[in-house]
């Protein structure tokens, strides 16, 4: 995951704005012997995040190499330092 703060505390309702991206790979198998690198599913996402008074909030979009995609809105858990 990569994140970067793109605004100061004086912009966008005095809340810092962040932009980020992820690159991921994974899958699930029934047995350990079934695991293989050629079965991995690759995905990536981009997102914008805010440090709000109620905690971090971010809106993003992700897509896999199998053409599955999703928009998401997430509240909570520490994302930014």
């Amino acid at each position: 995951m990569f994140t970067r703060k793109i605004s100061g505390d004086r912009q966008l309702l005095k809340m810092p704005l962040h932009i980020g991206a992820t690159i991921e790979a994974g899958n699930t198998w029934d047995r350990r012997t079934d695991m293989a690198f050629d079965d991995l599913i690759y995905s990536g996402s981009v997102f914008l995040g805010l440090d709000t008074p109620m905690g971090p909030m971010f809106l993003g979009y992700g897509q896999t190499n199998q053409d599955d995609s999703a928009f998401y809105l997430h509240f909570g858990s520490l994302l930014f330092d």
Side-chain angles (χ1 to χ4, degrees), residues 5-27:
K5 187 175 178 180
I6 59 173
S7 72
D9 293 334
R10 297 182 184 201
Q11 299 175 11
L12 196 61
L13 306 174
K14 298 185 178 185
M15 290 183 276
L17 178 65
H18 300 261
I19 190 168
T22 64
I23 298 174
E24 305 163 39
N27 205 337

Side-chain angles (χ1 to χ4, degrees), residues 11 19 25 29 39 50 52 57-58 72 75-77 81:
Q11 299 175 11
I19 190 168
W29 296 271
D39 287 338
L50 287 172
T52 73
M57 175 182 78
F58 61 96
Y72 54 92
F75 295 94
S77 74
D81 292 330

Side-chain angles (χ1 to χ4, degrees), residues 11-74:
Q11 299 175 11
L12 196 61
L13 306 174
K14 298 185 178 185
M15 290 183 276
L17 178 65
H18 300 261
I19 190 168
T22 64
I23 298 174
E24 305 163 39
N27 205 337
T28 59
W29 296 271
D30 290 327
R31 293 180 302 270
R32 188 183 306 214
T33 56
D34 294 337
M35 292 172 48
F37 282 110
D38 60 347
D39 287 338
L40 289 176
I41 298 171
Y42 298 94
S43 66
S45 68
V46 292
F47 61 88
L48 287 173
L50 287 172
D51 285 323
T52 73
M54 298 182 303
M57 175 182 78
F58 61 96
L59 173 67
Y61 172 78
Q63 185 166 354
T64 71
N65 64 320
Q66 297 180 338
D67 291 328
D68 295 316
S69 62
F71 283 97
Y72 54 92
L73 179 62
H74 181 81

